């Protein structure tokens, strides 16, 4: 998606800027060691040398410029990829409410009137606006292939905007240790065509299970490796 692509570009740019110092430094280390070896009569020995303005300019100026470049990339990227900022698109975003439980994920589609556990189905090419919270302890919602991770916190709401540009099945997980059942707190993201998503939402209404107060009370009990469920 656009978020993960932008994050990837930031990593590539940052690495390239740092390599612009690292590679010459590694080459210079070998070159200096070879040139000033004991057997090189051309190497000048200056035991009383103590200062060079040109060298000081290089060893301080280049790192300062590098830090400024990295800071600029980070500053711009941090604002452009602000999690709560809606993604630019001509398509109306899909609303999904996310609740982290012990140890499972509850996804609520308020406009469609359905909910799922450990299964997130989204239409490809459509922005998804997430509102996230936790019914228990702090947790972290993360779909690595789609982009930014973000905290879920009890009695608080965080916002995240992501989009899957292509169809596929992606791994989602918890990025924050939350107890014994943490390893099983995983889910699948299914990115499907819009027509298939519409058919899926329509079929979900015939699942037979209702997420009412009693159903939620049962669901909120600690359990791990919960199979995908639709309400």
């Amino acid at each position: 998606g656009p978020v993960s692509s932008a994050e990837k570009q930031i990593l590539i740019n940052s690495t390239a800027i740092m390599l612009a110092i690292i590679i010459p430094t590694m080459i210079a280390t070998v070159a200096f060691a070879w040139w000033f070896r004991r057997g090189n009569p051309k190497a000048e020995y200056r035991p009383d040398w103590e200062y060079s303005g040109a060298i000081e300019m290089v060893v301080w100026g280049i790192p300062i410029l590098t830090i400024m470049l990295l800071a600029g990339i980070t500053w711009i990227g941090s604002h452009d990829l602000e999690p709560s900022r809606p993604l630019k698109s001509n398509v109306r975003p899909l609303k999904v409410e996310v609740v982290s439980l012990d140890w499972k994920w509850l996804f609520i589609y308020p406009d469609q009137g359905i909910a799922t556990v450990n299964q997130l189905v989204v239409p490809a090419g459509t922005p998804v606006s997430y509102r996230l919270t936790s019914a228990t302890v702090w947790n972290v919602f993360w779909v690595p292939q789609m982009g930014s991770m973000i905290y879920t916190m009890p009695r608080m709401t965080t916002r995240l905007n992501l989009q899957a540009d292509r169809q596929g099945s992606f791994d989602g997980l918890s990025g924050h240790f939350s107890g014994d059942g943490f390893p099983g707190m995983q889910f699948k993201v299914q990115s499907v065509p819009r027509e298939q998503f519409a058919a899926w939402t329509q079929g979900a209404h015939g699942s037979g299970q209702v997420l009412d107060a009693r159903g939620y009370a049962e669901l909120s009990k600690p359990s791990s490796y919960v199979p995908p469920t639709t309400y």
Side-chain angles (χ1 to χ4, degrees), residues 102-103 137 139 176-183:
D102 288 339
W103 289 274
V137 298
N139 227 297
H176 186 34
F177 181 73
S178 56
D180 293 340
F182 167 75

Side-chain angles (χ1 to χ4, degrees), residues 50-129:
E50 62 181 14
Y51 178 79
S52 169
I55 292 178
E56 291 290 334
M57 183 176 295
V58 170
V59 299
W60 285 103
I62 294 179
I64 289 174
L65 290 175
T66 303
I67 292 173
M68 291 175 63
L69 284 173
L70 290 173
I73 289 175
T74 303
W75 177 274
I76 295 172
S78 297
H79 285 77
D80 289 344
L81 296 175
E82 162 61 36
S84 63
R85 176 178 293 181
L87 301 178
K88 294 181 180 179
S89 177
N90 295 325
V91 181
R92 181 182 177 184
L94 171 69
K95 296 180 181 179
V96 178
E97 298 177 354
V98 182
V99 183
S100 59
L101 302 165
D102 288 339
W103 289 274
K104 62 192 81 72
W105 292 94
L106 172 63
F107 302 105
I108 301 172
Y109 298 76
D111 293 338
Q112 286 74 26
I114 59 176
T116 62
V117 174
N118 286 348
Q119 181 185 30
L120 178 60
V121 182
V122 297
T126 300
V128 183
S129 176

Side-chain angles (χ1 to χ4, degrees), residues 147-229:
S148 304
M149 63 171 68
I150 196 164
Y151 275 99
T152 64
M153 295 171 281
R155 301 195 179 196
M156 291 187 66
T157 299
T158 50
R159 295 180 180 272
L160 179 64
N161 290 272
L162 298 176
Q163 177 178 314
D165 285 338
R166 60 180 176 85
Q167 302 172 30
S169 178
F170 314 118
D171 292 325
L173 65 150
S174 166
H176 186 34
F177 181 73
S178 56
D180 293 340
F182 167 75
M185 198 170 177
Q186 303 177 12
F187 60 94
K188 284 289 185 181
V189 180
Q190 304 292 337
S191 176
V192 299
R194 295 174 189 171
E195 297 78 10
Q196 185 175 338
F197 176 78
W200 173 78
T201 57
Q202 189 66 29
H205 288 279
S207 65
Q209 300 188 76
V210 179
L211 188 62
D212 52 15
R214 180 180 299 178
Y216 179 79
E218 187 66 27
L219 180 64
S220 62
K221 295 179 181 178
S223 57
S224 187
Y225 293 99
V226 177
T229 309

